[in-house]
Every structure is written in structure tokens, then in C-alpha cells.
């Protein structure tokens, strides 16, 4: 066990910090601090390309695919510096953090060649097509179907069905879709993992408004949508395995970046409390201290989890960690509103800082829902880590 | 000691609930929010028909001469309905305060109109950074520790703000206070301001209890409807237990609230203790209810389409108003450690028994 960084790692930190500072005070100054997922989309595409050119889009990827083959420690350093520099939220986080690692593990050479470079260079933005109206926690219940057809463009998958809660579908270029390719199959058998272009007549997107008032997620309808027969990850019928691998990436290294965002939010909250005097209130101080302890707990747990998982497969700790941060951030949101006091009721807050904290409160209501609800996480911990009998199900 | 409500109290609340079931049906609320549907004046008219605005005014001015304990179920029902109109502020705060200050001729005249519902009075209080519902009011009652002013809406020079709660409007009074609008000074004014605070804190607590009730009802009905893994999600203990926990919080908040209602206007250490306890218990219950209702609904609960967020945001606003959590917790602590408060077993129900 060793905590801390080597001289070479600190040198890498310097390089990253200097590069980010230059970019974000120079050509990309307008993007500093942009944390919304839907704001300044075009500018953030350009930023993605800039990161790609500097080989900083995903430092952990192999060099041949545009990364730096960085060690875990270096990935931690990158995440820390990225957040410290208040660099904008990653427009293509679903592509960079979910799809790309999935392709690196399960994709064919042709798929890696076709899809990774546009992800690194921000040319193709991805969204995730898992959930359906009747397949939320019970993801294996997906009903969207695809069948192979030959046509003028060769063999193609033809897709029919509906996805829901598709984040960023409004401007994504591609979607990875979990769908049923074996007629009459049920549960997690007979599913496939397809890569489907969004810009076609067979795909329509309808935004869904959230309680924040924004519409980041959408309904995505497939009516005879098409994609080339080769755009399947894993074998037909093996979609479940691939989809679960993607979910594991969602709980992997990408959590580091997210944790650094939490640190920024925590800092903003403390600043707000100092500015309006709430920081002198013993109850608020105690909760701030608890939140800070939670941050370190998460940091150490994440690092331990990731060092244990260098092999790629995530341990059971990943579930524990997912559960912990969701609950932690929700509490941080509640604390933020108590810090703001009654003026927290102003729509959009009464200052930019208050606006951010209020948004964080609202958004954090969903932190124990997306990517697997807290109830499902607890079931997983109990069943997979502790080996308790499975919940009885109706299907 | 008796925690039952009288038949009249229950009938009144029942009639009001029926009215709000109609006025605040989900479609009506959405229409109100989008500026469609029945006009606000017409809605207010229907609320006044039950005589609610004058419930707490003396009979001599046409009121019903009732007390906060009679009004508490009305406030709870208003919360449960997420009523957009500020009936609670008008009838539960402004009217009793104006009744206490009716020696002033201007105050008396407006009180008369407020009892019939012709005048609608919004309340500005040093504890709240803004006034709620001022855009629909005819008057603003401005309470400070030294003076109480009664302003016409024009005199108040309101500056409106949007609330996170789409069904509530916020405003700040930017007009300067002139001697001509003053209706009380000195001790009378500070007593009125203190009275308004206790009424405000108590009744927002009641509204929070109502919101909690509404959120539980929404979540329970969704849990009974939504299936995952081939079963109604309400069949899973993880869902059941969460909802049961909220219900426990609510049921433990209610008696505290009702007890505080019988004492709130006494303005003693005991009564303040009771009001603060009620506000803490009810806002905690509403807070847990909001969190739980979103969770039970999954992503639906996070969307605008489902009503959960209306209630959640109302609860958020009410939690901060009339003293936030820290304030009320501090007040409980101060009372507990003050030499006047007996804390032994014989004092358990001391809320009802004033010490000399
Ligand atoms: C902000 C946000 C962004 C999202 N983005 C995407 C996206 O980009 N792509 C995508 O595919 N999906 C996305 N989702 C959907 C997300 O993955 C689902 O919301 C989640 O899987 C839960 O499904 P559900 O909403 O249908 O809730 P349900 O599964 O209907 O759950 C409702 C409630 O029942 C509980 N429950 C269900 N089953 C059980 C059980 N067996 N035991 C105990 N309790 C149970 C749940 O915990 C929850 O409390 C997003 C969701 C949100 C909120």
C-alpha cells in the first residue's frame, strides 16, 4: 500500500495543469466552469477535439487508439486537474466513458478503427439506449426488437421500439441500443447490443422535461431504423453481457472525474455558507464536516476499488461505492438548500452560486435512480456480495 | 387533554378538502401554472364562499371567532392540495394580526374587507426575504419589530420574483414606509410581529404535513400500479419500508402540530417550544416524503410530467420560510436550557401547562 504520487507522476500533473490553464484562460476561456450537460454544445464539441489532439481525451486508453496508456494514478491526476481547472463537463462522456471502453474490450478491430477516433476527436457524440417504459430496473425486460434484412445497402439491422430517459439524445450522433434480436426470447437471453446512427428517418426524439425545467433526457422512437449488420458489439444474443460490461465502466474510472466535480460542489457550498453566515451555525457546520468526511471516504474507497480492479473486472465494492455516492450527493443537495435558507426558493437562485447549488439539489434527486437505483444496488450487495437468496420475482 | 377534533372542525375541513380536490386536481394545477383555466379571482371567490377568510376574525367584524386549533386542519388541507392561492397567509396570519390591531381605523376597514375576501392581504415579515402571493393581493401587511404598516398594492411598489415553485409568486416590497400607512407602533407592533411569526411557523408546518400526506398518496398509488420484474413494485419491501417510514414520521408530526396549535398564540416560552417542534417535525416529514416519492417513481419522479416535483418544491419553499431548520432547532435548544422550562417527567406535557 502506498498513498501519494511519484516525481514522474507529479511531472505529469504539471503538464496537464499547465495545458489546461493555458487553454482555459486563452482560446477556451468561455468554457471555464460550464457544468451543464446541454449548454454550449457546439463549443464543447470543439473542446473535445482539442483534448483529443493533446491526447488528453482519455489518458487511460492505449496509445494506438489516441490515449496515453496512463496508469491509474495518472488517471486520478488527470481527473483532479481537470476539475481543479474548472474545465467544462465532457460533452461526449457517454462515448468516452461508456462506449469506448466497451469497444476496447468487446469490439472488433474494424469497430475500434471506425468508432474510436471520432469519439476521441469529439466528432461523434453518443447516447445510451437501455431503458424503456417497461424496462427500468428490470432492464432485461426490453422489448425493442431488431431483425436482419438484406437490402440495397447490404445486410442491415432494422429496429422497432421505444427507449426512454435517453440523456443527450437531442444532439447525439449515435446511440448504443440494447434490443431483442431473437424472436420470442425473454429476459436477458436473445438480446443484442447495436450501434445505431441517430440522424435517420427511422429515429425520432422527443424531449422530456425534468423537474429542473430543463430537458436533458428524451424519448427515442425507432420505427424501421437501420444500421449496418456489422454494427453489433459481441455476438447476436450476447447483448446482455456487453451491456453489463458497459454498466461496470459507468462505475469504474469515470467515477474519479465525477468525484472531483463533487469536490467543486462541496467547495461552492462552503463558500456560500461563509458568505451568508450559515457557516457559523453549529448544525450546518456539523453537516459540512460530515459531507467532507464523506468526500474522503469516497476518495479512498474509489482508489482502493480501482487498484483492486486494475485487471478490468470490477469487484463487489463497485456496488457499495455506487450506493454511497448517490446517497452522499443527495444529502449534499439538501445541505445546500439549508445553507441557502429561504432565498433558496428563488427560481434560479439569487446569485450564480445559488443557482448552481439549487440546480445541484434538484439534479441530485436523481442520483439514487439513474444507472441502477439504490434499492437495486442494495439487492446486488446483498445477493452478489453477501450471497443471500434472490428476491422473489414474478417473471 | 383531548386530541380529537370536534364535529364542526372536521366538517369544515371536510368541505374545504372537497373544494380543493376540485380546485387543485392535477389538471387544474397545471392549467393554473400555465395561466389557463379558471381565473385566479374566480378561484379565490370559491374559496371565500366557505367563509374561510374570516375564520379567525371576531364575530363583531363578520368573522367566525375561531382559533388556530380550528384552522390547523384547513392549513393542512391547503398543503395537501398544493393550493396556489395564499389562503393560509391571508386567513391564518394577516386576519388575526389585523384583528389584534383593529384599534386603527384603516386596519379595521381593511380587516372588514379581508374577512369577506374582498381584500386579499399578503404578509411581509422580517424573517422572510420575500412576500408570497403578493401579485394577487390587494394589500400588503408589512410587519417590522417597531412598526406595522398596511400598504395598498400600489404603495408597496412590488418587485416580483419567480419561485422555484411554479405555483407560487414571490415579491419584495420596494416602496418606502411612510407615516401615513402605519397602523401600529412600539409594543403593539412588536407583539403583532411576534404573533405573525408564530402563526406563520405553525401553519407552514401544517401545510408541510399536508404535503407529506399528498406525496405519500402519490407514491403509494404509483407503487401499486408500476410493475418491474413481473411484480408490483409496492410488493417489494424496499419500497414498502420507505413509505412506511414516511408515514411514521407524519403520524408523529401530527399530534405535535395539533398540540402546538392550541398554544401558539400564547407567545410564551412553552408555546414557542411547541411551534418550533411542530415546524421541525413537519418539515422533516415533508422532506423525507419528497425524497421518497421521487425515489419510488424512479425516473418518472424526476420528470416534470409527474406531479411529485410540485409538492417537493412547495415543501422546499415552506421549509425555509418562517424560520429555517437551524432557527427552530436553536429555539428548542434555548428553551430547553433556559431556567424557566421544567423538563422532568411531570413536565412532559408542560406545553399545556403554563409555568408561573
Ligand atoms: C437523470 C436520468 C438520466 C437517465 N439517463 C438514461 C440514459 O441516458 N439511458 C438510459 O437507458 N436510461 C437512462 N435513465 C434511466 C435509468 O436508468 C432508470 O431510471 C433506472 O434504471 C430506474 O428505472 P425506472 O426509472 O423505470 O424505475 P423503476 O424500475 O420503475 O423503479 C421504480 C422504483 O421501484 C424500485 N424497484 C424496482 N424494482 C425493485 C426491486 N426488485 N426491489 C426493490 N425495489 C425495486 C426502484 O428502486 C424505484 O424506487 C436515466 C434516468 C435518470 C433519472
Amino acid at each position: 500500500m502506498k498513498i501519494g504520487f511519484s516525481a514522474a507522476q507529479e511531472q505529469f500533473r504539471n503538464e496537464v495543469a499547465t495545458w489546461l490553464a493555458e487553454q482555459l484562460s486563452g482560446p477556451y476561456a468561455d468554457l471555464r466552469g460550464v457544468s451543464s450537460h446541454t449548454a454550449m454544445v457546439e463549443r464543447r464539441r470543439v473542446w473535445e477535439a482539442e483534448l483529443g489532439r493533446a491526447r488528453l481525451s482519455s489518458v487511460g486508453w492505449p496509445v494506438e487508439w489516441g490515449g496515453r496508456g496512463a496508469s491509474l494514478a495518472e488517471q486520478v491526476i488527470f481527473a483532479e486537474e481537470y476539475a481543479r481547472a474548472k474545465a467544462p463537463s465532457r460533452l461526449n462522456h457517454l462515448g468516452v466513458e461508456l462506449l469506448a471502453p466497451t469497444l476496447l474490450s468487446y469490439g472488433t478491430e474494424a469497430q475500434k478503427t471506425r468508432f474510436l477516433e471520432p469519439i476521441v476527436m469529439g466528432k461523434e457524440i453518443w447516447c445510451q439506449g437501455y431503458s424503456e417504459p417497461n424496462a427500468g430496473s428490470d432492464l432485461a425486460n426490453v422489448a425493442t426488437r431488431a431483425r436482419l434484412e438484406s437490402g440495397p445497402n447490404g445486410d442491415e439491422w432494422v429496429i422497432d421500439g421505444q427507449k426512454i430517459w435517453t440523456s443527450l439524445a437531442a444532439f447525439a450522433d449515435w446511440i448504443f441500443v440494447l434490443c431483442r434480436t431473437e424472436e420470442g426470447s425473454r429476459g436477458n437471453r436473445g438480446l443484442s447490443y447495436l450501434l445505431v446512427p441517430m440522424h435517420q428517418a427511422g429515429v425520432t426524439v422527443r424531449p422530456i422535461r425534468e423537474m429542473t425545467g430543463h430537458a436533458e433526457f428524451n424519448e427515442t422512437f425507432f420505427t424501421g431504423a437501420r444500421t449496418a449488420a456489422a454494427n453489433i458489439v459481441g455476438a447476436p444474443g450476447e447483448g446482455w453481457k456487453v451491456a453489463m460490461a458497459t454498466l461496470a465502466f459507468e462505475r469504474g474510472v469515470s467515477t474519479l472525474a465525477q468525484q472531483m466535480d463533487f469536490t467543486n460542489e462541496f467547495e461552492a457550498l462552503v463558500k456560500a455558507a461563509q458568505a451568508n453566515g450559515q457557516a457559523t451555525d453549529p448544525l450546518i457546520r456539523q453537516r459540512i464536516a460530515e459531507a467532507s468526511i464523506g468526500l474522503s471516504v469516497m476518495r479512498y474507497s474509489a482508489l482502493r476499488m480501482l487498484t483492486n480492479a486494475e485487471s478490468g473486472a470490477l469487484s463487489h465494492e463497485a456496488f457499495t461505492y455506487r450506493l454511497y455516492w448517490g446517497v452522499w450527493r443527495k444529502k449534499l443537495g439538501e445541505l445546500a438548500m439549508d445553507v441557502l435558507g429561504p432565498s433558496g426558493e428563488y427560481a434560479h437562485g439569487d446569485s450564480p452560486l445559488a443557482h448552481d447549488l439549487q440546480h445541484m439539489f434538484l439534479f441530485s434527486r436523481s442520483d439514487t435512480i439513474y444507472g441502477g437505483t439504490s434499492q437495486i444496488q442494495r439487492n446486488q450487495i446483498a445477493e452478489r456480495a453477501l450471497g443471500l437468496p434472490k428476491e422473489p420475482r414474478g417473471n | 387533554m383531548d386530541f380529537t377534533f370536534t364535529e364542526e372542525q372536521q366538517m369544515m375541513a371536510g368541505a374545504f378538502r372537497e373544494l380543493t380536490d376540485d380546485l387543485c386536481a392535477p389538471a387544474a394545477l397545471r392549467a393554473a401554472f400555465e395561466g389557463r383555466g379558471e381565473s385566479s379571482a374566480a378561484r379565490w371567490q370559491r374559496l371565500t364562499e366557505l367563509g374561510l377568510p374570516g375564520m379567525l376574525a371576531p364575530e363583531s367584524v363578520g368573522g367566525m371567532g375561531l382559533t388556530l386549533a380550528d384552522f390547523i386542519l384547513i392549513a393542512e388541507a391547503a398543503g395537501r392540495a398544493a393550493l396556489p392561492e395564499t389562503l393560509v397567509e391571508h386567513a391564518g396570519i394577516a386576519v388575526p394580526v389585523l384583528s389584534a390591531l383593529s384599534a386603527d381605523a384603516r386596519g379595521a376597514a381593511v380587516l372588514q374587507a379581508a374577512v369577506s375576501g374582498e381584500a386579499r392581504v399578503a404578509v411581509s415579515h422580517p424573517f422572510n426575504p420575500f412576500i408570497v402571493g403578493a401579485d394577487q393581493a390587494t394589500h400588503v401587511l408589512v410587519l417590522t419589530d417597531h412598526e406595522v404598516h398596511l400598504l395598498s398594492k400600489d404603495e408597496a411598489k412590488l418587485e416580483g420574483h419567480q419561485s422555484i415553485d411554479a405555483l407560487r409568486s414571490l415579491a419584495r416590497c420596494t416602496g418606502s414606509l411612510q407615516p401615513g400607512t402605519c397602523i401600529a407602533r412600539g409594543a403593539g407592533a412588536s407583539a403583532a410581529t411576534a404573533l405573525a411569526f408564530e402563526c406563520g411557523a405553525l401553519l407552514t408546518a401544517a401545510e408541510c404535513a399536508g404535503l407529506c400526506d399528498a406525496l405519500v398518496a402519490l407514491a403509494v398509488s404509483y407503487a401499486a400500479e408500476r410493475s418491474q420484474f413481473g411484480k408490483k413494485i409496492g410488493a417489494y419491501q424496499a419500497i414498502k419500508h420507505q413509505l412506511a417510514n414516511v408515514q411514521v414520521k407524519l403520524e408523529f408530526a401530527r399530534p405535535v402540530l395539533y398540540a402546538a396549535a392550541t398554544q401558539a398564540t400564547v407567545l410564551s416560552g412553552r408555546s414557542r417550544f411547541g411551534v418550533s417542534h411542530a415546524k421541525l417535525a413537519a418539515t422533516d416529514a415533508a422532506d423525507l416524503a419528497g425524497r421518497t416519492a421521487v425515489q419510488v417513481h424512479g425516473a418518472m419522479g424526476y420528470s416534470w410530467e409527474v406531479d411529485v416535483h410540485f409538492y417537493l418544491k412547495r415543501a422546499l419553499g415552506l421549509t425555509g420560510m418562517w424560520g429555517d431548520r437551524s432557527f427552530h432547532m436553536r429555539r428548542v435548544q434555548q428553551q430547553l436550557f433556559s431556567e424557566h422550562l421544567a423538563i422532568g417527567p411531570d413536565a412532559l406535557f408542560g406545553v399545556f401547562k403554563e409555568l408561573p
Side-chain angles (χ1 to χ4, degrees):
Chain A
M1 226 182 65
K2 192 166 109 280
I3 292 174
F5 299 101
S6 69
Q9 288 162 347
E10 289 301 344
Q11 164 139 20
F12 173 68
R13 182 190 295 283
N14 260 333
E15 185 205 330
V16 172
T18 312
W19 186 86
L20 286 168
E22 275 169 17
Q23 300 300 322
L24 294 167
S25 56
Y28 297 98
D30 54 333
L31 288 179
R32 200 188 184 107
V34 173
S35 60
S36 153
H37 286 301
T38 47
M40 303 181 73
V41 170
E42 288 316 312
R43 281 292 285 156
R44 280 159 66 225
R45 269 184 201 261
V46 180
W47 170 249
E48 288 292 316
E50 196 66 59
L51 285 171
R53 276 193 292 277
R55 287 187 171 267
L56 289 171
S57 178
S58 252
V59 293
W61 294 9
V63 177
E64 51 181 319
W65 300 115
R68 297 185 177 212
S71 66
L72 176 65
E74 286 165 334
Q75 294 177 58
V76 171
I77 288 171
F78 179 79
E80 284 177 349
E81 291 308 318
Y82 195 84
R84 202 201 310 276
K86 304 260 184 330
S89 73
R90 295 295 298 272
L91 176 66
N92 204 10
H93 67 105
L94 295 169
V96 171
E97 289 160 5
L98 300 191
L99 181 70
T102 308
L103 287 179
L104 285 167
S105 301
Y106 292 91
T108 61
E109 286 308 295
Q111 285 169 340
K112 291 183 207 170
T113 308
R114 164 63 188 83
F115 292 110
L116 290 179
E117 194 264 349
I119 290 177
V120 169
M121 298 309 294
K123 284 187 246 166
E124 287 173 354
I125 310 297
W126 285 81
C127 61
Q128 176 178 25
Y130 279 18
S131 306
E132 295 182 6
N134 289 315
S137 298
D138 185 9
L139 179 60
N141 199 37
V142 295
T144 296
R145 322 178 296 285
R147 58 181 194 282
L148 264 183
E149 261 183 24
S150 334
N153 306 323
D155 284 356
E156 284 184 318
W157 293 102
V158 180
I159 306 132
D160 288 284
Q162 181 197 349
K163 294 291 171 181
I164 194 170
W165 318 123
T166 330
S167 301
L168 312 185
F171 53 76
D173 305 297
W174 283 78
I175 181 168
F176 47 98
V177 179
L178 185 64
C179 57
R180 209 160 278 292
T181 47
E182 276 170 33
E183 193 94 32
S185 64
R186 292 187 55 186
N188 59 18
R189 289 152 204 266
L191 298 173
S192 295
Y193 191 104
L194 302 185
L195 310 176
V196 182
M198 291 290 283
H199 307 298
Q200 57 169 312
V203 177
T204 32
V205 172
R206 194 185 72 91
I208 310 176
R209 208 164 165 208
E210 291 136 35
M211 66 160 73
T212 55
H214 302 285
E216 283 186 14
F217 54 34
N218 307 268
E219 284 177 290
T220 309
F221 299 92
F222 300 92
T223 37
R226 289 172 172 267
T227 193
N231 289 339
I232 180 170
V233 186
E238 277 186 8
W240 184 255
K241 191 177 81 189
V242 183
M244 288 304 104
T246 304
L247 278 187
F249 292 121
E250 192 166 1
R251 302 184 186 114
V253 175
S254 67
T255 54
L256 291 174
Q258 181 202 37
Q259 223 178 76
M260 296 306 137
D261 292 339
F262 294 168
T263 313
N264 279 338
E265 288 170 353
F266 174 74
E267 203 185 355
L269 180 149
V270 172
K271 255 191 213 141
Q274 281 166 336
N276 74 2
Q278 291 272 27
T280 60
D281 184 294
L283 289 173
I284 297 284
R285 288 171 79 88
Q286 181 170 341
R287 286 165 67 196
I288 289 178
E290 279 165 9
S292 152
I293 289 170
L295 261 181
S296 343
V297 166
M298 285 194 288
R299 183 170 166 72
Y300 288 122
S301 311
L303 294 178
R304 172 165 164 258
M305 164 180 99
L306 291 167
T307 38
N308 291 347
E310 286 269 43
S311 60
L314 274 183
S315 57
H316 297 311
E317 291 142 32
F319 294 113
T320 331
Y321 180 76
R322 166 69 186 93
L323 179 65
Y324 192 94
W325 76 249
V327 174
W328 178 87
R329 181 139 181 275
K330 226 156 120 178
K331 276 202 200 149
L332 190 74
E334 285 144 24
L335 175 56
M337 294 315 289
D338 283 337
V339 163
L340 291 178
S343 62
E345 193 189 338
Y346 287 121
H348 318 299
D350 59 355
S351 68
L353 181 57
H355 169 270
D356 289 350
L357 291 175
Q358 190 189 72
H359 186 267
M360 193 262 288
F361 164 77
L362 290 173
F363 185 80
S364 65
R365 300 307 85 194
S366 72
D367 280 334
T368 50
I369 297 171
Y370 59 83
T373 68
S374 287
Q375 288 67 47
I376 298 302
Q377 305 300 333
R378 289 193 182 93
N379 281 351
Q380 306 256 29
I381 293 168
E383 292 171 11
R384 296 213 203 161
L386 302 178
L388 283 165
K390 290 209 178 225
E391 284 271 294
R393 335 163 132 220
N395 58 6
Chain B
M1 203 189 335
D2 182 2
F3 270 95
T4 52
F5 286 95
T6 65
E7 215 168 291
E8 294 87 76
Q9 287 169 332
Q10 292 186 39
M11 265 174 52
M12 191 83 180
F16 178 62
R17 263 201 296 268
E18 255 170 53
L19 176 60
T20 54
D21 281 348
D22 181 33
L23 275 177
C24 302
L29 282 187
R30 278 170 190 271
F33 155 65
E34 285 156 14
R36 299 179 287 109
E38 214 174 350
S39 76
S40 166
R43 292 170 57 88
W44 180 252
Q45 177 66 32
R46 290 172 64 190
L47 286 165
T48 59
E49 276 160 11
L50 291 176
L52 298 166
M55 269 182 81
L56 304 188
E59 285 164 302
S60 58
V61 295
M64 297 188 192
L66 297 172
T67 66
L68 275 179
D70 301 298
F71 191 69
I72 200 84
L73 290 179
I74 302 289
E76 196 179 323
R80 179 174 164 274
L83 184 72
E85 286 73 22
T86 44
L87 175 74
V88 171
E89 285 81 348
H90 176 91
I93 306 169
V95 165
V97 168
L98 285 174
S99 301
L101 299 176
S102 61
D104 179 273
R106 238 166 71 82
V110 174
L111 173 61
Q112 198 96 44
V115 165
S116 69
E118 217 176 297
R120 278 172 81 170
V121 186
V123 182
S124 164
H125 193 279
F127 258 90
N128 301 324
F130 43 68
I131 310 164
V132 178
D135 59 338
Q136 300 183 353
T138 55
H139 294 81
V140 181
L141 181 65
V142 180
L143 297 147
T144 72
D145 290 331
H146 314 290
E147 289 181 355
V148 178
H149 289 255
L150 187 57
L151 308 183
S152 71
K153 195 172 169 185
D154 287 343
E155 288 165 334
K157 298 207 174 46
L158 295 167
E159 181 191 286
H161 291 272
Q162 263 184 307
S163 165
I164 187 176
D165 171 354
L167 297 167
R168 248 154 81 104
S169 69
L170 309 179
R172 263 197 268 237
C173 195
T174 66
S176 62
L177 299 177
Q178 304 295 334
T181 57
C182 184
I183 61 168
R185 287 193 171 77
S190 60
T193 301
L195 173 69
F197 183 77
E198 300 307 311
C199 295
L202 176 81
L203 295 174
T204 35
E207 287 182 88
C208 283
L211 285 163
C212 178
D213 201 13
L215 284 160
V216 170
L218 272 176
V220 164
S221 85
Y222 188 74
E225 224 171 72
R226 167 79 170 164
S227 291
Q228 283 291 275
F229 304 100
K231 281 168 95 171
K232 301 290 181 206
I233 57 169
Y236 297 117
Q237 278 194 355
I239 294 286
K240 281 197 188 108
H241 287 187
Q242 282 185 78
L243 288 168
N245 286 342
V246 185
Q247 191 62 20
V248 167
K249 259 204 188 303
L250 175 60
E251 290 309 339
F252 280 156
R254 275 182 169 144
V256 172
L257 177 66
Y258 301 154
T262 64
Q263 291 283 300
T265 56
V266 173
L267 304 188
S268 66
R270 288 277 181 195
S271 78
R272 292 193 177 95
F273 181 91
V275 167
S276 286
H277 185 179
K279 179 105 196 298
L280 288 167
T283 51
D284 278 357
D287 178 55
L288 183 64
R291 218 179 314 155
T292 305
V294 173
Q295 189 67 22
V296 167
H297 281 80
M300 281 285 174
Y302 181 63
S303 81
W304 189 279
E305 314 301 330
V306 168
D307 290 335
V308 171
H309 72 101
F310 284 120
Y311 299 95
L312 180 135
K313 289 171 184 169
R314 176 69 55 88
L316 189 72
L318 294 179
T319 301
M321 287 194 79
W322 303 105
D324 60 13
R325 206 173 254 124
S326 295
F327 171 84
H328 286 289
M329 194 59 96
R330 242 183 350 258
R331 221 166 66 151
V332 167
Q333 289 167 3
Q334 277 161 5
Q335 295 296 332
L336 274 176
F337 292 104
S338 80
E339 43 193 297
H340 302 297
L341 199 88
I343 50 177
D346 58 325
L348 193 57
F349 290 101
V351 180
F352 306 100
K353 184 176 74 182
E354 208 41 46
L355 289 183

